[in-house]
Structures are given as C-alpha cells and as structure tokens.
Amino acid sequence: MKRKLAALFAAAMLTLTAAACSGEEASTTDSKKGTIKLVLKDEDPSNPATKKYFSNLEKALKEDEQLDVKFELVQMPQGNYAEKLNLLLYSGDIPDMIYFQGGDQQISGQDLLEDLTPYLEKSKHLKSIMEPYNEKRMKNYPYLLWIKPLDLKTPVIRSDWFNQLSSSKALMADPSPENYKAFFKELVEKAPGGGNPKYAITAAGDIAELDSIFNMAFGINQTWLEKSDGTYEYAKVSEKEKAKLEFYSELYKEGLLDPQFATKQWDTKEKAFYDGEAGVITGTNGKVIDIYNGKMTQVNGKEAALTVLPPSKGEFQGYGATDVSKESRGIAISSQSKNKELAFKVLDYLASPEGQMLDRIGFEGEHYQQSGDQLELTEKYYSEWYARFWEPAAFETEKPMKTPLLSEPAEESAKLVRDYYSEDNKVMLDEEASAKWDATENLYKEFSADVITGKRPVSDFEKFAEDWEKAGGAEITEFVNGKLK
C-alpha cells in the first residue's frame, strides 16, 4: 500500500507544486464569504444529522459573525480512513479543511498544510481554550489542531457486580497488579451475573487497553526509559516490559483475560460487556464512558451504572503518559486553500460560547430543551450526540444546565485522568526512522500476543529484543537518543 500511495503521490506532485507556487491564486479573496470544502471522518454528507449540523452552523456563522459560508462535505469511501484520505489528497483534490487520523506527516512534509501558529495568535477564542498539552503539541507540530479532553482510557465495571465482591475494597485501597489479579479471579469465580462473566476483562485487538491499566505499575511510565548510563531504551524491549507480559500471560492462562482479545473488534468487545460475558472493559474517559454507562443502564437497569477503576499502582501509577510531540489526530487547513482565513474563522467560532452551544449540546428540541430558566438534555443527546470539533474543559451555557453534560461515572473518569496526568517523552521520527517503525511494531505485536497466549515462552524475550534491533530498532534508538540528549 505504501508503494502504491507513493506512486500516486509522485503522479500528483506536478499539479500540487504548481498550485503551491501560485501564491496569488491561492490567496484569500474574501475572508467573510466563500465555500469551505472539508473532509471529516464518520461524517457522511447524505446523513440527515450531518446535513442539519452544517446547515445550522452556516446560519449561526451568518447571524453571529456575519460570515457567509457554505460547506461542501467530501464523501469518503469505506475502509481505512487514513489510507483513503491520502489517496484523495495525492490525487490533487485537497479540501480546505481536513481531519487527519494518521498520515498527516507525509502531507505536511510537502508544505501542503498551513502553519496555524499565526492564526492562533490572532484568534478571538481558540487560544483561550487550549490546554498546556495542546500548546506544546502545536509548538512541536503546528499543523493539526484538536481541542479535546485527554484521550486516555479508563477501566470500568458494573457497580452492582463491583459491590458484590469482597476484593473490591482492597483493590480501591491498593490497586497493585496482585490485587487486580485477585479482584479478577473473584469476579469470574463468584459469577455475579448468574453464570457470567466468562472472563474478567476483554480488549479490542491488542494489549494497548490493558496497558492503560498496568503499564505504569510495571515502571513503564514513558515511551523511552532512561537507563543507568543516561541513554534511553524503547520501553517495549525493556526488562519491565518482559515482567508485564509475563503478568498478562498469567491472566490469560488462568482464564481471566478474554481468549479472543487479539481478534476482538470494538463493537464485539462492547457487546460482551453489555451482555455480561466480560466484567471489565476500558474506554476513553469522558464521553465514551458516558456512552458505555448509558447503554449499560438501558440494558441492565440503573443499578448497573458503572464504577471507574483506578490505574494499577506499582513503581508508578497512572493511565499512561500523554504524548506532547504532536496531535495524533486533528483538523488541518490546506496551504493551497483560497479560503484559509475564512476556514480558520470557522474553527475559531466553534470555540466561542455560541459555537460551543451547537457543537457540544446539539439541536434545541432534539438534544436539549428549555426547562424554565434551565437547559435540560434529552435521552437523544446522551445516546447519540457528540462534538464534531472542540470540547474544552471549561464550558458554560448562557442558562444553567439542569442535567449534566456527562454522567457521574464519565465525570469521574475524566477527573482521574487529569489527576494522574504525566507527560511522555515520545519524539517525532524522521523519514528514515519512520520507515522502519512499522516493521518493529509488527514484530512486537506478534511476539507479545504469542507470549500472552502461550505460543512462545517469556524466556524468548531476549531473542525478540535482538530481532527488534535488527529490524530497525537499533537505528530508531540511535535517532531518539540524539533527540533526547
């Protein structure tokens, strides 16, 4: 696929270069009027809710900011979003506003994305809602903007099950790996679901969701761990990783980890949780936990509202370190756009109190309604609404909210993630190191799955570390150590 994309890219570069060189042609002609072509993941232009959202946004921009904007949403084909997006961009069809979820560095490396720094400095609203980690990411990589809460995952369990277990109190007082394992064992053995759960915890596709609970307890508090000689080694080839994989293999062997974790998809993972086959799953703190809580109580009653579990405690404690090297996803503006100023004004408006009313709580009469001097959110809001753009931590409506934006478990998950915040030392790789990264990561994924499922002994870890170095890990490590000095 990479070769295919590279060939398409090479074929399109003459068109793109010509556009890039024509500064006057690409300049903004009217910063208050124009059509904004945009591409967003999971937004189908034929979807009634999407149509209504952008129609309402057009009206709000005209009323509140005197901006005459028309939105033209790109229809994206099914499949891997990052790959499909790059095919679109390499063809020379570059929208004004682009949502990236991977693949953006290939595009920004060709000067096809606008540096947003000067726009942010002049913004009326956006710069005031950015968190410190947003500011650091923008300083390192000024092409993607994504004002969202920290996206770390937190583990949750049904409260009615949690309250039945005698090990729950010990877990909350001291969430060590050992106490987590004891809690998982009691959860399966006591079977509070009347024969279920079949296993204590499930995950979607790999061990990243388990890592959000256990990584820091095993001393894996950053992507690159400092050694006694002052140099850095990749955490996934460290002795601490070896100890963690051995722990995971014990969970698997004792029937506590879903045997299908490596092939589970997000929807089958969630179904197993709602159906009571799995006792614990992880989900992104805040809104995702809110959705989990809403669906769980719909299926199993209010007593099944979720309890958020703490991160495991050991050498460190937390749900993982936050990458500040760059935004991993976000909105970019094309450097080739004739409407760059206008596009940014739209993004800035969405950070205003008026823009937030639409983006955060939806359509009046559907997702919220007036209740005296207050605003009351509807069940439709909780079950289906999500912010297309920004979700700053501070958000106040003109009228007070009668119902909270997030349920109690969702608020608790967001609070815990903030309480345990720490920064990662991950660095952006150059083109040469990036080319080797996928091979080394695939090697790790295969080895870790084999160890956990018992196909290979954990004693093979040293052999894996050697293979990782030969596959490009040695060059990546050398590059990173040069950056972290």
Side-chain angles (χ1 to χ4, degrees):
M1 177 58 73
K2 285 185 176 179
R3 291 179 181 176
K4 185 177 180 181
L5 292 180
L8 288 167
F9 178 71
M13 278 308 295
L14 287 176
T15 302
L16 299 177
T17 302
C21 293
S22 182
E24 290 185 7
E25 184 180 340
S27 63
T28 301
T29 56
D30 187 343
S31 63
K32 285 187 171 291
K33 181 178 181 179
T35 297
I36 301 296
K37 187 175 182 180
L38 71 162
V39 57
L40 298 174
K41 185 176 183 291
D42 300 327
E43 293 296 335
D44 186 333
S46 65
N47 183 293
T50 299
K51 285 183 182 178
K52 186 171 183 178
Y53 176 89
F54 285 100
S55 175
N56 284 13
L57 180 55
E58 288 174 356
K59 294 174 185 175
L61 285 164
K62 194 160 191 174
E63 181 178 335
D64 298 331
E65 297 291 332
Q66 293 74 55
L67 298 177
D68 188 1
V69 182
K70 297 297 180 186
F71 292 101
E72 180 184 329
L73 198 62
V74 177
Q75 175 75 61
M76 289 295 287
Q78 295 294 315
N80 183 290
Y81 177 76
E83 290 182 359
K84 299 297 183 184
L85 176 61
N86 279 357
L87 286 171
L88 172 74
L89 301 180
Y90 290 167
S91 72
D93 185 6
I94 304 181
D96 304 284
M97 192 184 296
I98 310 160
Y99 172 79
F100 282 97
Q101 193 168 309
D104 53 281
Q105 285 181 257
Q106 302 168 46
I107 306 301
S108 65
Q110 302 298 324
D111 296 327
L112 297 175
L113 300 182
E114 189 77 356
D115 182 340
L116 299 178
T117 305
Y119 297 86
L120 284 167
E121 290 173 352
K122 295 184 294 183
S123 68
K124 290 192 289 185
H125 308 288
L126 266 168
K127 62 184 176 183
S128 65
I129 68 169
M130 293 177 70
E131 296 289 340
Y133 55 87
N134 297 130
E135 294 171 354
K136 290 181 179 179
R137 290 168 178 172
M138 286 300 298
K139 185 176 180 181
N140 292 330
Y141 186 81
Y143 307 108
L144 290 189
L145 189 60
W146 198 235
I147 314 299
K148 293 280 186 177
L150 292 168
D151 61 357
L152 302 177
K153 296 181 183 293
T154 56
V156 290
I157 184 175
R158 291 173 54 163
S159 293
D160 52 350
W161 288 10
F162 177 81
N163 293 331
Q164 292 180 48
L165 304 178
S166 60
S167 57
S168 297
K169 187 174 181 180
L171 177 70
M172 299 303 275
D174 178 20
S176 65
E178 294 75 22
N179 281 350
Y180 249 108
K181 184 177 178 182
F183 175 76
F184 286 165
K185 288 186 73 172
E186 187 186 8
L187 178 58
V188 171
E189 290 170 358
K190 280 204 169 181
N196 285 329
K198 294 179 180 177
Y199 30 81
I201 186 168
T202 188
D206 57 30
I207 62 174
E209 295 182 345
L210 293 176
D211 290 345
S212 67
I213 307 173
F214 295 107
N215 252 2
M216 296 188 82
F218 282 90
I220 305 169
N221 66 323
Q222 291 184 313
T223 298
W224 295 89
L225 304 179
E226 188 172 7
K227 300 192 293 185
S228 58
D229 63 0
T231 62
Y232 291 84
E233 68 175 342
Y234 187 42
K236 290 181 179 178
V237 294
S238 68
E239 286 296 312
K240 294 175 180 181
E241 179 73 21
K242 179 181 179 181
K244 184 194 72 179
L245 292 180
E246 187 170 17
F247 174 73
Y248 288 173
S249 70
E250 292 172 3
L251 297 182
Y252 183 90
K253 185 177 180 180
E254 296 180 33
L256 305 178
L257 172 61
D258 179 1
Q260 304 299 319
F261 79 92
T263 56
K264 270 277 200 295
Q265 301 296 315
W266 65 268
D267 54 345
T268 52
K269 176 195 83 168
E270 292 171 5
K271 185 177 187 301
F273 185 54
Y274 302 137
D275 291 349
E277 291 184 7
V280 175
I281 62 170
T282 68
T284 305
N285 76 96
K287 185 61 181 177
V288 172
I289 297 300
D290 199 37
I291 293 171
Y292 286 179
N293 185 70
K295 290 184 178 178
M296 180 61 81
T297 53
Q298 284 177 8
V299 174
N300 297 291
K302 291 184 178 180
E303 66 278 4
L306 302 182
T307 292
V308 184
L309 300 177
S312 188
K313 183 178 181 181
E315 188 173 343
F316 302 99
Q317 187 178 17
Y319 296 109
T322 296
D323 180 9
V324 294
S325 64
K326 68 182 290 290
E327 297 288 357
S328 61
R329 62 183 66 191
I331 302 291
I333 293 176
S334 165
S335 63
Q336 312 307 302
S337 171
K338 296 180 181 180
N339 294 301
K340 290 181 281 191
E341 292 281 351
L342 184 60
F344 189 83
K345 285 180 179 179
V346 172
L347 298 180
D348 198 34
Y349 173 75
L350 287 160
S352 71
E354 297 83 4
Q356 280 287 286
M357 277 293 293
L358 169 61
D359 203 32
R360 295 291 288 276
I361 64 174
F363 312 140
E364 184 174 0
E366 285 188 55
H367 304 103
Y368 71 94
Q369 56 196 13
Q370 305 279 343
S371 179
D373 293 331
Q374 296 178 305
L375 299 180
E376 184 174 10
L377 298 172
T378 66
E379 286 300 320
K380 195 172 183 180
Y381 165 83
Y382 288 110
S383 64
E384 73 176 35
W385 188 258
Y386 59 93
R388 270 72 174 173
F389 291 88
W390 317 136
E391 292 182 82
F395 170 56
E396 292 185 6
T397 52
E398 290 182 4
K399 293 183 178 181
M401 300 294 296
K402 182 178 180 180
T403 47
L405 283 173
L406 295 174
S407 62
E408 188 175 335
E411 288 282 9
E412 176 67 9
S413 69
K415 177 182 180 300
L416 285 171
V417 163
R418 292 193 298 269
D419 289 347
Y420 287 108
Y421 176 82
S422 65
E423 291 183 1
D424 200 0
N425 60 356
K426 187 177 181 180
V427 300
M428 284 190 292
L429 302 178
D430 63 8
E431 187 175 353
E432 184 177 349
S434 295
K436 301 177 186 296
W437 182 256
D438 287 347
T440 60
E441 283 298 281
N442 289 334
L443 198 65
Y444 167 78
K445 288 177 182 178
E446 181 180 354
F447 176 76
S448 61
D450 284 349
V451 168
I452 293 168
T453 57
K455 294 177 182 176
R456 292 181 67 177
V458 74
S459 58
D460 278 358
F461 191 86
E462 285 68 27
K463 176 65 168 58
F464 151 70
E466 291 175 5
D467 292 341
W468 181 86
E469 287 198 352
K470 292 175 182 176
E475 291 86 350
I476 294 171
T477 301
E478 182 179 2
F479 174 85
V480 170
N481 272 276
K483 291 289 186 180
L484 293 178
K485 283 182 180 178

